Amino acid sequence: MNAPLPFGEGPGEGLPDFISGPVLLTGPDTWFQRLLGLEFAGLVGVGGACIGRGAPTMCNGANLAYRRAAFEAINGYAAHAHLASGDDEFLMHQLHAARPGSVRFLADAAAVVRTAAPATLGALLRQRVRWASKWRHYQSPASRRLAPLVLGANVALAAGARGALAWPALGPWVAAAWLLKLGADWWLLAPVLRFLGTRRWLWGLLPLQLLYAPYALAVGAPAGAAGTAGRGGRCGELESK
């Protein structure tokens, strides 16, 4: 994610039908906001990587565009108009199913869109309820597999930490699992945060890791791993005709 991806290049043929762009959360420089920023940067990174591998899972309605002809060919939002959240992702999945390889990620720093993070825990919980509500409607195999995977990983880490308190012999194994997750998160987040210009957040990763598992269980972050920041409004178009 260090260089722009020209619209005409990628796994598909010709120009894309759908472009997903990077999004940066903004807000006061508090531990709560850094936690949200780190998590969201991970979603941006995973979403861009999945698109790059030809298996789109996530996008964000705050920064995307689509081609009108492709939109009309699949009857737009009609198939999911009754759902309260997810129009951006459902559209991306439909366009990918109709023409595999036509979804691209625009990894250009000039394309970063900034949007405000939830200001309170209550706002965060309401957001995650919206995110979680759409999971059962996914038809994309990649998205359906990703959410249980993230949920299982976080539940296992939290359960392991609790189990180590009762059975100290588990301690080294639990510590190894946490170190493995920390290393994987560092490997993923370092280039993403550098790209977003927020690399300083990376140094908060270790203490935030200690908070993340109970946070994930409390607010449903795994559901967020299969979603994006709400509806985000209707999407933009790549062309007007």
Side-chain angles (χ1 to χ4, degrees):
M1 285 181 36
N2 293 320
L5 176 62
F7 283 175
E9 297 182 5
E13 296 293 335
L15 296 177
D17 292 330
F18 186 99
I19 296 290
S20 174
V23 178
L24 173 65
L25 288 189
T26 61
D29 190 16
T30 63
W31 280 106
F32 178 69
Q33 294 294 337
R34 286 193 180 193
L35 176 61
L36 298 186
L38 280 172
E39 181 205 22
F40 203 83
L43 299 182
V44 171
V46 171
C50 289
I51 290 173
R53 293 188 61 84
T57 55
M58 292 178 275
C59 64
N60 193 295
N63 192 8
L64 59 81
Y66 57 82
R67 198 170 295 281
R68 176 180 287 186
F71 177 79
E72 293 175 345
I74 61 170
N75 296 318
Y77 299 110
H80 302 97
H82 61 290
L83 302 178
S85 181
D87 55 349
D88 43 12
E89 288 186 353
F90 291 131
L91 177 63
M92 179 180 71
H93 296 162
Q94 283 185 274
L95 290 174
H96 173 71
R99 191 164 75 94
S102 64
V103 175
R104 314 286 175 81
F105 186 82
L106 182 57
D108 189 334
V112 174
V113 166
R114 291 164 174 78
T115 186
T120 65
L121 182 59
L124 179 64
L125 289 170
R126 289 190 294 273
Q127 180 193 67
R128 297 317 168 85
V129 168
R130 293 197 307 272
W131 287 8
S133 68
K134 62 191 175 185
W135 181 83
R136 65 183 182 275
H137 301 287
Y138 280 134
Q139 301 299 317
S140 166
S143 295
R144 294 187 68 87
R145 290 193 297 263
L146 180 60
L149 175 63
V150 176
L151 174 61
N154 283 293
V155 168
L157 287 170
R162 184 171 182 177
L165 296 176
W167 298 284
L170 294 176
W173 297 98
V174 173
W178 277 89
L179 287 174
L180 181 62
K181 183 178 188 299
L182 178 63
D185 285 350
W186 189 287
W187 176 76
L188 169 69
L189 287 169
V192 177
L193 295 176
R194 182 170 60 248
F195 170 80
L196 294 172
T198 57
R199 194 174 182 180
R200 67 187 185 281
W201 290 359
L202 196 59
W203 301 107
L205 185 60
L206 179 58
L208 289 173
Q209 281 286 323
L210 301 178
L211 299 174
Y212 187 77
Y215 153 80
L217 294 175
V219 303
T228 57
R231 294 182 68 90
R234 294 303 182 186
C235 310
E237 296 181 0
L238 290 175
E239 61 185 4
S240 59
K241 61 180 179 178

